[in-house]
Amino acid sequence: MSLHVLIVDDDRDHAESVADILEMRGYAIDIAGSGEAGVAKFGEGGFDVVLMDVKMPGMNGVEAFFAIRELKPDAQVLMMTGFSVEELVEKAMANGALAHAPAELAVAVTGIAGPGGGTAEKLAGLLHLATP
């Protein structure tokens, strides 16, 4: 059974690039284009991990992370950004976000061996990310 990944990013091209790579590795992917849409989609259930952009208009990624954690306190969330938003990222990681990934995640993800027993921690480890 493959991991079901939710990608939340207002940059549709970036989200689709990451999705394409993960789909080639056998992961099931859904995309949400905003924090609000990500929280709503996550509420529908069935996601193993969320890749969350930090800087988005409206509800930012950290706010969406907290809303997701209200729905599921042990939700697996990886924060990603191409901007310098260290204070927001630190706040999310201090409250249980698993890692902070650069926005160039699509390139880094090519090292993933494929689904099957993997978790967000495994994904973060394969991406050589700092975890809390």
Side-chain angles (χ1 to χ4, degrees), residues 84-95:
S84 178
V85 288
E86 290 306 312
E87 186 176 315
L88 287 175
V89 171
E90 287 173 15
K91 182 176 180 181
M93 289 182 67
N95 284 278

Side-chain angles (χ1 to χ4, degrees), residues 3 6 26 30 35 41 61 64 66 72 77-78 82-84 86 90 95 100 102 110 114-115 119 126-127 129:
L3 287 178
L6 174 60
D30 275 293
K41 193 169 284 255
F66 285 124
K72 184 178 178 193
V77 181
L78 291 168
F83 298 94
S84 178
E86 290 306 312
E90 287 173 15
N95 284 278
H100 169 229
T110 59
T119 63
L126 289 168
L127 295 173
L129 302 174

